[in-house]
Amino acid sequence: MIRPDAPVLLEIRDLQARVEDQPILKGVSLTIRAGEIHAVMGRNGSGKSTLSKVLAGHPAYTVTGGTVRYVGDDLLSLEPELRARAGLFLGFQYPVEIPGVSNLEFLRVATNARRAGKGEEELDTFAFEDLVRERLQVVQMDPAFLERSVNEGFSGGEKKRNEILQMALLDPLVAVLDETDSGLDIDALRIVAGGVNHLAGPDNATLLITHYQRLLDVITPDYVHVMAVGRILRTGGKELALELEERGYDWVDAELAALERTPAEVG
Amino acid sequence: MASSATVGDLVSQPYKYGFVTDIETEKIAKGLSEDVVRLISAKKNEPAFLLDFRLRSFRQWLQMEEPDWATLGHPPIDYQEIIYYAAPKQQEKKASLDEVDPKLLETFEKLGIPLSEQKRLSNVAVDAVFDSVSIATTYREKLAEHGVIFCSISEAVKDHADLIEKYLGTVVPGNDNYFAALNSAVFSDGSFVFIPKRVECPMELSTYFRINSGDTGQFERTLIVAEEGASVSYLEGCTAPMFDTNQLHAAVVELVALDDASIKYSTVQNWYAGDENGKGGIYNFVTKRGQCRGDRSHISWTQVETGSAITWKYPSCVLQGADSVGEFYSVALTNNRQQADTGTKMIHVGPRTRSTIVSKGISAGHSSNSYRGLVQLGPKAVGARNYSQCDSMLIGDQAAANTYPYIRSQQPDASIEHEASTCRISADQLFYLQSRGIAFEEAVSMMVSGFCRDVFNQLPMEFAAEADKLLALKLEGSVG
Ligand SMILES: Nc1ncnc2c1ncn2[C@@H]1O[C@H](COP(=O)(O)OP(=O)(O)OP(=O)(O)O)[C@@H](O)[C@H]1O
Ligand SMILES: [Mg+2]
């Protein structure tokens, strides 16, 4: 839902980042207001996951330029855990397995960390069990998954559902979902998309990274951005996704080539 | 920028116990000779049998060579550069704590071991050993009511010479190995525990070892005897100041369990480990052995090894009595340049004896962590069983983990199971937890305590949480 007067939650300006010595993000700008759903699309390797991890504060990436303001704060100066407590959520493209750490315990600690960030009191084990059982229904997940180690031995789709369960518990202000739809069967896709729609509201915002129109059929984006070699090359409404579905990314090369020429011609 | 500095900025917290107590100490001249052995014995007014034991051990030590089979490397130790006896200057052991030098009481208080009447740990009796001498033992009277003897070994030599003569050196003989022989020659103090028949010790017993002097070796000797049907749980803790030289610590612990007796011995070892470049730290060469002498007796070792520059330690069980049980639960953590070669020996002598080994090695930084274990089943160990599980966790990509399981069995049908695994804590796992609002330290601690749970569950309750925190602290700054 686009409301021009809605508060800005996330404002990315000319963000540049590298991993080791290799520049990956080369100037990303993006403004997200409360209530909005944004989709980011783009070829493999164009920098979508990098953008999401830089936002969440992954230590492997070094920001080399630009700014990110998150609800008025300088996001980049915050430790990753503080970003999370402030309501920034990243649904990982490849959630890692953490053997030996119980999923239930992990979810409880994470939930309480977020609650502390909102100034709410800690939930004890019993109160948390009630909450988690209720939220399990959003993703129609079997409570048996709570007893296992975090993501350990989960199937690809089960890991993605566990991500959405976390999102449902953590009540994010800005959720960045990195290819949460890939690896899901048709039913699971519907469940996960239903979960995202259920959690999206006028006060929060969602940034969906996806390759497929089928997700955008169920979650209608307000904006679609196309990323290429570390930049947002084009922004449009939901029709842009349909256009991509039809035409593929070949046009991107032409635009990129034009972009490369521009500075020289201008200069 | 904060996000990339997350890990790098978490510089290891300085070792919390690295302070030195400024106290006048009585030391003998450095160096080792027969005269020094006699001098130590004379200072303690020891009976002849003990001086004999020392001298025999010393002569055998002279014939022995420092072992070099462990996966450890260190410059040669100059045994003539070490001081073998140092004691804080105060006359005689004090009858009451009020007379103990307040500086000493303060030291232990700072270490989290309050000794004074009002502040004592409830339900834990503590023997506090400072350099070469025991300075106080709490709750002695209460224990005496149950017939339990808990005192320093020096006092036991005076007050219970018969027991010392009967048991000392019977589990770890004076010539057992190089470091045990050295200890037998020059040991200074340590704890003595005696639990009479059918007595269940009413509280946890604990000895806290504190090395204070920089040039002094620490050679303590502990002896625990549980008579028929008796049981006891004992915990050993240790710390040392930070010096940039290495100090030698060569202890011997002997446990004797008679019929149906049970001894649970736990250690939380936090000697100074040296700095991140490997300068300084304790060389810890320890011989710990328990003998399940009686039928159905039970000895359980639990150790959390986090400190020392070098750890060479194999708490073992000789399972002599029929149906006796030996257990070894170990967490050994190494970081920076630390080296640990640790494990156990389970010697099955009697029929139907059982042993369990659970070893968790965590290596971070440039450290090296080896598990070395022997399971031996002798000709009479019919129906004996062993289960071993050795897991390694690597943190970062510079650390090394090795596992050396040895099995010698004269029982073709025996059941011996061995499982081993290796895993690695990755920056991505930690980031995953952090991205859910969990602080770095807590994330490490969650992963490590998951890994160590089977061992921590064996620790006395009061110390399990401590162990958790200790590991987290030791690992700060080691990932990334
Ligand atoms: N840690 C890293 N080390 C080296 N290269 C990296 C690293 N992370 C990302 N890259 C490189 O950065 C580029 C962008 O990767 P990124 O994962 O952001 O792409 P993506 O748009 O998410 O692709 P996909 O659609 O396949 O998920 C790729 O070329 C990738 O190889
Ligand atoms: Mg990606």
Side-chain angles (χ1 to χ4, degrees):
Chain A
M1 178 208 335
I2 302 178
R3 286 174 296 149
D5 58 335
V8 173
L9 297 182
L10 189 71
E11 186 171 31
I12 307 171
R13 277 211 194 135
D14 194 27
L15 183 63
Q16 297 161 44
R18 60 175 163 77
V19 59
E20 277 148 29
D21 286 332
Q22 195 189 336
I24 301 196
L25 298 186
K26 298 171 182 163
V28 175
S29 297
L30 182 61
T31 300
I32 299 181
R33 289 174 187 273
E36 296 175 350
I37 296 179
H38 291 240
V40 173
M41 307 183 79
R43 276 185 177 145
N44 295 133
S46 55
K48 304 180 297 296
S49 294
T50 304
L51 173 62
S52 72
K53 287 193 234 176
V54 169
L55 291 177
H58 195 294
Y61 302 89
T62 311
V63 173
T64 49
T67 57
V68 181
R69 297 205 68 80
Y70 175 74
V71 226
D73 279 337
D74 173 13
L75 183 75
L76 301 177
S77 69
L78 296 177
E79 299 292 341
E81 62 267 27
L82 297 182
R83 302 181 193 194
R85 288 177 206 170
L88 181 73
F89 178 85
L90 169 57
F92 286 83
Q93 183 174 4
Y94 303 109
V96 293
E97 304 193 0
I98 307 184
V101 175
S102 117
N103 202 28
L104 181 65
E105 173 69 4
F106 159 68
L107 295 170
R108 191 174 65 81
V109 175
T111 303
N112 279 329
R114 171 70 179 123
R115 289 179 67 88
K118 287 188 290 185
E120 293 171 0
E121 70 194 48
E122 197 167 296
L123 294 179
D124 66 16
T125 356
F126 303 106
F128 180 70
E129 286 240 22
D130 293 344
L131 177 70
V132 80
R133 273 168 205 283
E134 178 207 315
R135 296 295 149 92
L136 274 171
Q137 290 168 3
V138 176
V139 282
Q140 299 179 22
M141 217 167 123
D142 188 332
F145 285 102
L146 300 175
E147 306 306 323
R148 294 168 58 176
S149 290
V150 179
N151 294 330
E152 192 182 28
F154 287 25
S155 78
E158 288 162 353
K159 285 180 182 164
K160 294 299 174 72
R161 283 199 208 193
N162 204 32
E163 294 292 290
I164 300 303
L165 172 63
Q166 291 170 46
M167 173 174 161
L169 285 165
L170 297 180
D171 180 27
L173 219 46
V174 175
V176 181
L177 301 177
D178 191 359
E179 297 199 29
T180 303
D181 54 330
S182 53
L184 293 179
D185 65 37
I186 294 160
D187 288 343
L189 179 71
R190 220 170 281 138
I191 290 163
V192 164
V196 172
N197 279 329
H198 175 82
L199 298 167
D203 300 323
N204 57 29
T206 311
L207 180 65
L208 295 170
I209 296 173
T210 182
H211 288 293
Y212 303 108
Q213 177 58 38
R214 57 168 197 213
L215 181 71
L216 304 181
D217 287 341
V218 243
I219 308 175
T220 314
D222 299 303
Y223 296 99
V224 174
H225 310 276
V226 180
M227 255 187 107
V229 274
R231 288 193 189 100
I232 289 180
L233 202 60
R234 212 200 271 184
T235 295
K238 60 176 191 277
E239 357 38 81
L240 180 54
L242 292 164
E243 192 186 329
L244 288 174
E245 185 93 337
E246 221 164 90
R247 289 173 54 196
Y249 287 110
D250 281 348
W251 59 271
V252 165
D253 295 326
E255 281 199 23
L256 276 176
L259 211 68
E260 291 303 312
R261 273 195 311 272
T262 320
E265 282 167 13
V266 173
Chain B
M1 196 213 73
S3 60
S4 73
T6 312
V7 175
D9 280 358
L10 279 166
V11 184
S12 289
Q13 276 211 6
Y15 180 68
K16 233 165 91 184
Y17 307 107
F19 63 90
V20 183
T21 305
D22 177 20
I23 193 159
E24 228 188 312
T25 328
E26 181 203 352
K27 289 180 184 174
I28 63 174
K30 66 184 176 190
L32 184 54
S33 64
E34 205 166 299
D35 287 343
V36 167
V37 175
R38 285 177 192 280
L39 181 63
I40 293 171
S41 187
K43 281 202 169 293
K44 296 173 160 293
N45 288 319
E46 286 175 353
F49 80 86
L50 202 51
L51 176 61
D52 270 1
F53 175 73
R54 288 181 183 276
L55 290 173
R56 259 181 292 130
S57 306
F58 177 66
R59 287 170 198 146
Q60 277 162 326
W61 179 74
L62 290 175
Q63 312 293 318
M64 298 167 100
E65 302 235 331
E66 209 179 281
D68 61 358
W69 41 261
T71 320
L72 300 172
H74 59 84
I77 300 167
D78 185 346
Y79 292 90
Q80 298 306 333
E81 279 300 312
I82 295 170
I83 291 174
Y84 288 85
Y85 184 87
K89 257 193 194 146
Q90 61 171 359
Q91 305 77 35
E92 282 306 280
K93 177 129 176 180
K94 303 300 176 190
S96 130
L97 274 169
D98 307 338
E99 299 166 51
V100 173
D101 189 326
K103 264 192 197 159
L104 290 174
L105 296 179
E106 203 179 287
T107 301
F108 281 92
E109 193 134 329
K110 252 166 108 176
L111 297 169
I113 314 288
L115 300 172
S116 60
E117 207 76 48
Q118 318 83 305
K119 295 188 197 152
R120 288 175 179 182
L121 304 168
S122 60
N123 216 39
V124 183
V126 178
D127 184 23
V129 178
F130 189 91
D131 282 339
S132 303
V133 298
S134 160
I135 60 155
T137 312
T138 63
Y139 291 116
R140 297 164 67 124
E141 300 76 18
K142 185 169 173 201
L143 290 167
E145 284 167 23
H146 295 80
V148 172
I149 304 172
F150 180 38
C151 62
S152 73
I153 204 130
S154 310
E155 286 168 286
V157 167
K158 286 200 194 86
D159 303 340
H160 310 281
D162 50 331
L163 289 173
I164 299 294
E165 186 163 12
K166 183 168 173 194
Y167 289 107
L168 190 85
T170 63
V171 182
V172 178
N175 62 350
D176 187 80
N177 66 69
Y178 188 81
F179 297 107
L182 177 63
N183 173 287
S184 300
V186 303
F187 72 87
S188 36
D189 220 336
S191 298
F192 174 64
V193 175
F194 179 81
I195 318 287
K197 284 186 185 126
R198 285 182 298 281
V199 170
E200 189 184 324
C201 187
M203 47 174 61
E204 292 278 338
L205 304 184
S206 165
T207 301
Y208 195 94
F209 294 103
R210 172 71 177 172
I211 295 181
N212 190 60
S213 307
D215 41 7
T216 311
Q218 177 101 337
F219 305 95
E220 81 270 347
R221 185 104 194 173
T222 296
L223 173 61
I224 300 179
V225 178
E227 284 196 328
E228 290 83 352
S231 69
V232 62
S233 167
Y234 175 93
L235 183 111
E236 172 202 304
C238 24
T239 57
M242 302 193 283
F243 292 114
D244 54 11
T245 53
N246 299 104
Q247 288 117 285
L248 179 62
H249 173 255
V252 170
V253 175
E254 298 179 280
L255 312 182
V256 179
L258 303 185
D259 287 352
D260 300 293
S262 146
I263 302 176
K264 185 176 169 58
Y265 191 108
S266 315
T267 308
V268 176
Q269 188 261 109
N270 187 18
W271 296 119
Y272 177 52
D275 68 10
E276 66 278 11
N277 301 314
K279 200 165 168 52
I282 302 284
Y283 289 171
N284 194 29
F285 296 94
V286 174
T287 305
K288 288 185 165 169
R289 194 173 305 151
Q291 195 171 33
C292 284
R293 216 169 268 187
D295 294 347
R296 297 167 304 278
S297 54
H298 187 157
I299 289 182
S300 174
W301 297 101
T302 303
Q303 60 171 17
V304 178
E305 300 284 309
T306 66
S308 297
I310 291 179
T311 301
W312 179 97
K313 181 177 169 190
Y314 315 90
S316 304
C317 296
V318 180
L319 303 168
Q320 210 161 9
D323 301 290
S324 59
V325 176
E327 293 171 319
F328 174 74
Y329 298 96
S330 169
V331 167
L333 177 149
T334 53
N335 196 356
N336 299 322
R337 304 276 168 179
Q338 280 178 277
Q339 309 172 53
D341 193 300
T342 183
T344 185
K345 288 189 270 186
M346 292 292 173
I347 312 293
H348 293 254
V349 180
R352 297 174 308 277
T353 44
R354 281 170 291 149
S355 63
T356 301
I357 298 172
V358 176
S359 161
K360 307 278 178 175
I362 303 167
S363 2
H366 289 80
S367 69
S368 141
N369 200 326
S370 302
Y371 167 82
R372 190 182 302 277
L374 168 68
V375 175
Q376 182 173 319
L377 277 60
K380 293 194 196 126
V382 181
R385 284 185 287 163
N386 162 266
Y387 170 75
S388 305
Q389 184 190 334
C390 302
D391 300 322
S392 308
M393 177 181 259
L394 295 167
I395 302 182
D397 51 11
Q398 307 288 318
N402 306 297
T403 304
Y404 305 101
Y406 306 92
I407 295 169
R408 284 191 218 130
S409 175
Q410 300 184 43
Q411 298 291 334
D413 302 325
S415 141
I416 302 176
E417 271 178 73
H418 182 89
E419 288 176 23
S421 76
T422 302
C423 64
R424 196 180 283 279
I425 289 194
S426 68
D428 279 328
Q429 286 171 319
L430 289 170
F431 176 64
Y432 187 79
L433 296 174
Q434 279 183 283
S435 75
R436 297 301 181 250
I438 300 167
F440 184 84
E441 293 85 347
E442 200 180 351
V444 172
S445 140
M446 271 175 109
M447 294 195 61
V448 167
S449 53
F451 178 72
C452 300
R453 190 163 301 133
D454 296 347
V455 175
F456 286 173
N457 284 344
Q458 299 294 326
L459 283 174
M461 259 241 287
E462 297 87 331
F463 300 99
E466 282 298 305
D468 235 12
K469 269 190 261 162
L470 181 59
L471 292 198
L473 201 68
K474 289 272 165 181
L475 284 173
E476 275 192 16
S478 63
V479 187

